[in-house]
């Protein structure tokens, strides 16, 4: 992996400051970036990464394995875990697609949301009805749930936050299996479950059991055994907590709203209108009324996908102007010169209700096309150019908009293919097959135990998976507890004998366990003097440093005095010895000086 040059490092740090400082940063980014992408794991040498098989541990598309998990079994597990939920598994599946029908929808699925709500809008943005997909909600076609087959399982441990607030996303991609010719009848949905950290007090280290379980799949040659292990990950979980991926709380029904289901809707009446290819997003929620609670899929905005016409400077609505003002603050994050790390925050108020990857109509979802509609010069273009000059970036405003588009649903799937993203990033890969990351076609029809794979896109196999493989391997190679200490130079602090003095020791967390006072991490004195204590609000993550300040009284005997500590977590010592050396002067000597 190429090393980041100094300009990229400066922009990466600036981008992280923007993400941290923005009021929107409290919202889940839900982009394909973030997570562990900007941690030391992304570029740390890893022996384990080289031994991982990405098609066993990161993207599983073997028919013999994915066919073990059916759509029906997933929906049935969700309703069984939810307790009395009002729906059967099949009804929950139908309710998902009933959202695509105008109200009132299916008679046995009352109370749910519909595309016609709020005048066919969501978040103030257009949300068209899709009766072709809505047909899967009709009680007359109860077998529809069985026409969807699993075509891919995806390990997104790389999306775990650096603080280990959760352990990443684990995805199941289902496709409507229709024998050729498909005649515009394809349809897909993907469950993207966010797995809670079973030991959040340990930070990222709490995720080691699930990361190890996925990595170990690379060593299992028997597809039957590997299939059993994969199924257990999703239906039963690993470790003592037995926390399975498939659970209602992992698809949005939690305090932070983490996790989601997304659809990739191909069903069309024609090449263009009225049914363009659309991408949409849903959260699974318990909705409670006087008669009880019902588990339902609720349409939400498509994240990291602002409305395309907000990039058009001729759009002077308050929301569009507000978005453009916000977008200028995100330039440094988007200018990071690394394909896997440029990113930005889109506050949800600006997100669209749907995303169309097709280049049609007025190109409303094509950011570059919208950006080019305003003649130059215009205030938005000029503000982007000024910000790029301020941070010393060689990119153009068009590059910044193109990078934002590549992070959107429609951009990633189609618009950005072959687009110039500028700098060392170059062009967005032209993957095959296009539109999807794993194909949903196998001909002739697959049989039980069929060894064939649903083909993964070349973008996935050549660009995305190697980076995720690096992160997973580097995490597993990193010890749970470790530290580094840079010893001071030759400039030794001097103080008079018996005088009170202040000193500092700086230590860096190079392990995967979070350091905090709450989990009993501290620097234990090896000399019987005062220990180094973390502050109540400290949460020192992998790659971060802590400067401990202390106050001691110098010895009464002149000479060199060395104070020593060692880091300790819950009684276990780790890392090198920390030290602070003091030159003790006679009481009548020179005045003290600080180091």
């Amino acid at each position: 992996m190429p090393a980041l040059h100094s300009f990229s490092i400066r922009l990466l740090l600036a981008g992280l400051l923007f993400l941290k400082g923005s009021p929107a940063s409290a919202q889940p980014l839900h982009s394909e970036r973030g997570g562990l992408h900007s941690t030391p794991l992304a570029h740390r040498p890893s022996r384990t990464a080289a031994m991982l098989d990405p098609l066993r541990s990161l993207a599983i598309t073997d028919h013999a394995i994915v066919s073990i998990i059916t759509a029906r079994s997933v929906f049935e597990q969700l309703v069984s875990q939810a307790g009395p939920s009002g729906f059967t598994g099949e009804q929950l599946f139908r309710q998902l697609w009933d959202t695509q029908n105008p109200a009132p929808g299916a008679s046995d699925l009352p109370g749910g949301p519909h595309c016609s709500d709020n005048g066919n809008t969501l978040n103030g943005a257009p949300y068209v009805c899709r009766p072709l997909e809505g047909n899967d909600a009709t009680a007359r076609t109860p077998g529809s749930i069985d026409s969807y087959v699993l075509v891919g399982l995806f390990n997104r441990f790389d999306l775990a936050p650096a603080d280990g607030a959760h352990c990443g996303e684990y995805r199941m991609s289902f496709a409507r299996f229709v024998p050729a010719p498909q005649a515009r009848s394809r349809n897909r949905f993907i469950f993207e479950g966010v797995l809670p950290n079973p030991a959040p007090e340990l930070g990222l280290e709490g995720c080691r059991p699930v990361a190890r379980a996925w990595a170990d799949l690379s060593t299992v040659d028997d597809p039957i055994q590997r299939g059993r292990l994969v199924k257990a990950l999703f239906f039963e979980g690993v470790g003592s907590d037995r926390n399975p991926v498939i659970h209602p709380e992992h698809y949005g029904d939690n305090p932070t709203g983490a996790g989601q289901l997304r659809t990739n809707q191909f069903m069309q009446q024609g090449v263009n209108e009225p049914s363009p290819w659309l991408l949409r997003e849903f959260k699974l929620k318990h909705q409670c009324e006087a008669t009880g609670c019902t588990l339902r899929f609720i349409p939400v905005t498509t994240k990291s996908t602002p409305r395309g016409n907000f990039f058009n400077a001729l759009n002077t609505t308050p929301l569009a102007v507000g978005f453009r003002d916000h977008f200028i603050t995100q330039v440094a994050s988007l200018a990071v010169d690394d394909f896997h790390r440029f990113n930005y925050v889109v506050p949800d108020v600006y997100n669209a209700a749907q995303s169309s990857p097709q280049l049609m109509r007025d190109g409303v979802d094509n950011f570059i096309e919208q950006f080019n509609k305003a003649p130059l010069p215009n205030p938005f273009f000029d503000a982007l150019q000024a910000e790029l000059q301020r941070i010393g970036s060689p990119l153009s405003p068009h590059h910044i908009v193109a990078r934002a588009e590549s992070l959107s649903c429609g951009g990633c799937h189609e618009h950005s293919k072959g687009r110039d993203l500028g700098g060392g990033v170059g062009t967005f890969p032209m993957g095959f097959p296009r539109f999807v990351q794993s194909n949903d076609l196998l001909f002739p029809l697959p049989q039980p135990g069929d060894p064939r794979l649903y083909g993964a896109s070349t973008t996935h196999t050549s660009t995305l998976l190697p980076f995720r493989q690096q992160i997973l391997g580097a995490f597993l190679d990193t010890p749970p507890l470790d530290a580094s200490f840079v010893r001071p130079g030759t400039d030794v602090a001097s103080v008079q004998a018996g005088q009170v003095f202040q000193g500092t020791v700086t230590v860096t967390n190079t392990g995967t366990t979070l350091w905090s006072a709450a989990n009993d991490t501290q620097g234990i004195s090896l000399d019987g003097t005062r220990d180094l204590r973390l502050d109540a609000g400290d949460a020192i993550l992998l790659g971060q440093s802590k400067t401990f300040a202390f106050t001691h009284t110098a010895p009464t005997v002149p000479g060199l005095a060395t104070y020593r500590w060692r880091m300790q977590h819950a009684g276990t010592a780790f890392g090198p010895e920390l030290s602070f050396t003091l030159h003790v002067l006679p009481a009548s000597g020179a005045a003290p000086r600080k180091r």
Side-chain angles (χ1 to χ4, degrees):
M1 181 177 299
L4 292 176
H5 52 67
S6 60
F7 171 71
S8 299
I9 293 291
R10 293 198 305 273
L11 284 185
L12 177 58
L13 294 175
L16 291 176
L17 289 175
F18 272 118
L19 291 175
K20 183 177 181 181
S22 168
S25 62
Q27 303 175 23
L29 271 177
H30 184 193
S31 114
E32 297 299 302
R33 308 298 175 91
L36 302 176
H37 293 200
S38 297
T39 68
L41 299 175
H43 50 78
R44 177 171 292 179
S46 171
R47 297 179 64 182
T48 296
M51 295 185 289
L52 293 175
D53 183 340
L55 297 184
R56 291 185 181 182
S57 291
L58 294 169
I60 302 170
T61 62
D62 316 54
H63 176 267
I65 292 177
V66 297
S67 60
I68 296 172
I69 299 176
T70 66
R72 185 177 292 275
S73 66
V74 172
F75 283 89
E76 287 178 349
Q77 170 140 323
L78 289 171
V79 297
S80 68
Q81 292 164 325
S85 62
F87 286 154
T88 64
E90 189 168 292
Q91 283 178 308
L92 181 62
F93 166 84
R94 291 173 47 227
Q95 184 273 320
L96 166 66
W97 298 113
D98 203 33
T99 62
Q100 306 303 289
N101 292 321
S107 60
D108 66 329
L109 306 173
H114 294 280
C115 53
S116 57
D117 296 347
N118 304 307
N120 286 100
T121 65
L122 191 158
N123 201 34
Y127 195 80
V128 300
C129 290
R130 299 281 297 205
L132 287 177
E133 287 89 358
N135 283 333
D136 276 344
T138 63
R140 295 187 302 274
T141 57
S144 293
I145 188 172
D146 298 318
S147 66
Y148 287 82
V149 298
L150 187 64
V151 296
L153 297 166
F154 301 96
N155 170 5
R156 296 304 309 273
F157 172 74
D158 61 294
L159 293 180
D163 65 358
H166 62 74
C167 294
E169 290 189 8
Y170 300 90
R171 301 176 172 181
M172 300 178 289
S173 181
F174 287 90
R176 189 171 186 264
F177 188 85
V178 181
Q182 290 196 317
R184 310 187 194 287
S185 59
R186 296 170 71 188
N187 199 29
R188 298 183 67 150
F189 60 87
I190 182 168
F191 280 97
E192 299 176 333
V194 167
L195 196 63
N197 186 338
E201 70 280 2
L202 299 180
L204 194 60
E205 174 59 24
C207 299
R208 190 173 292 269
V210 69
R212 170 53 62 192
W214 278 88
D216 286 347
L217 294 173
S218 288
T219 66
V220 181
D221 295 326
D222 181 1
I224 296 177
Q225 182 185 358
R226 199 162 66 248
R228 292 194 188 108
L229 294 171
V230 168
K231 187 174 182 179
L233 284 171
F234 281 87
F235 284 86
E236 301 170 20
V238 297
S240 59
D241 67 302
R242 308 307 291 174
N243 189 22
V245 173
I246 301 170
H247 195 284
E249 294 178 359
H250 302 168
Y251 301 103
D253 196 23
N254 56 70
T256 64
Q260 57 280 324
L261 178 144
R262 291 193 282 181
T263 59
N264 200 343
Q265 300 176 207
F266 291 89
M267 298 177 73
Q268 299 176 333
Q269 293 176 348
V271 175
N272 294 318
E273 302 286 13
S275 299
W277 170 23
L278 287 182
L279 299 144
R280 289 178 165 174
E281 186 171 327
F282 302 80
K283 300 286 186 181
L284 191 57
K285 296 285 187 180
H286 268 101
Q287 291 188 314
C288 297
E289 300 88 17
T291 57
C293 296
T294 303
L295 193 64
R296 293 189 179 97
F297 285 99
I298 310 300
V300 295
T301 57
T302 52
K303 305 305 182 291
S304 299
T305 304
R307 288 178 244 178
N309 60 14
F310 286 174
F311 288 93
N312 181 354
L314 298 178
N315 182 347
T316 57
T317 61
L319 205 57
V321 172
F323 169 76
R324 292 195 292 273
D325 288 344
H326 168 75
F327 188 76
I328 292 164
T329 72
Q330 303 297 299
V331 168
S333 300
L334 286 164
V336 171
D337 200 26
D338 186 285
F339 178 81
H340 300 286
R341 293 182 179 87
F342 68 78
N343 203 1
Y344 76 132
V345 174
V346 182
D348 200 42
V349 67
Y350 302 126
N351 277 322
Q354 58 196 22
S355 181
S356 174
Q358 289 180 280
L359 302 176
M360 57 173 58
R361 298 171 292 175
D362 61 351
V364 68
D365 292 319
N366 187 327
F367 297 177
I368 289 292
E369 182 176 325
Q370 292 291 323
F371 184 61
N372 288 336
K373 285 188 175 183
L376 298 179
N378 66 67
F380 183 41
F381 183 96
D382 293 346
L384 292 175
Q385 186 67 65
E387 181 63 10
L388 287 165
Q389 291 174 350
R390 185 189 71 80
I391 63 176
S393 171
L395 300 178
S396 71
H398 280 88
H399 291 141
I400 295 299
V401 174
R403 291 184 177 200
E405 182 178 62
S406 73
L407 298 176
S408 72
C409 290
C412 180
H413 278 270
E414 179 60 13
H415 292 321
S416 296
K417 301 293 176 68
R419 184 89 80 186
D420 179 18
L421 303 182
V425 172
T427 59
F428 195 94
M430 288 287 295
F432 180 84
R434 301 180 72 178
F435 314 131
V436 294
Q437 294 297 0
S438 62
N439 212 336
D440 48 15
L441 307 176
L442 278 182
F443 298 104
L445 295 180
Q447 302 298 317
D450 196 314
R452 289 178 295 168
L453 307 178
Y454 291 101
S457 75
T458 53
T459 301
H460 217 159
T461 55
S462 64
T463 304
L464 302 178
L465 291 185
F467 185 68
R468 298 169 193 171
Q469 182 175 344
Q470 157 64 28
I471 288 176
L472 178 59
F475 168 74
L476 292 170
D477 285 344
T478 302
L481 294 169
D482 204 1
S484 66
F485 168 62
V486 178
R487 299 182 182 278
T490 57
D491 186 19
V492 178
S494 298
V495 67
Q496 290 180 345
Q499 188 174 17
V500 174
F501 71 94
Q502 294 180 336
T504 60
V505 172
T506 299
V507 60
T508 300
N509 184 354
T510 57
T512 55
T513 301
L514 176 147
W515 295 356
S516 71
N519 69 13
D520 193 23
T521 302
Q522 57 188 308
I524 299 297
S525 173
L526 302 179
D527 309 302
T529 57
R530 189 173 304 167
D531 295 335
L532 303 175
R533 304 283 187 177
L534 290 161
D535 297 328
D538 283 343
I540 312 302
L541 309 178
L542 172 67
Q544 295 182 341
S545 298
K546 169 67 179 180
T547 297
F548 292 99
F550 58 90
T551 301
H552 283 329
T553 300
T556 57
V557 179
L560 291 178
T562 298
Y563 299 85
R564 301 175 303 125
W565 303 265
R566 194 159 181 221
M567 293 302 296
Q568 186 179 101
H569 168 78
T572 300
F574 64 93
E577 184 177 285
L578 317 179
S579 64
F580 180 92
T581 300
L582 184 70
H583 186 195
V584 182
L585 303 173
S588 59
R593 60 189 177 90
K594 289 186 177 181
R595 179 168 63 194

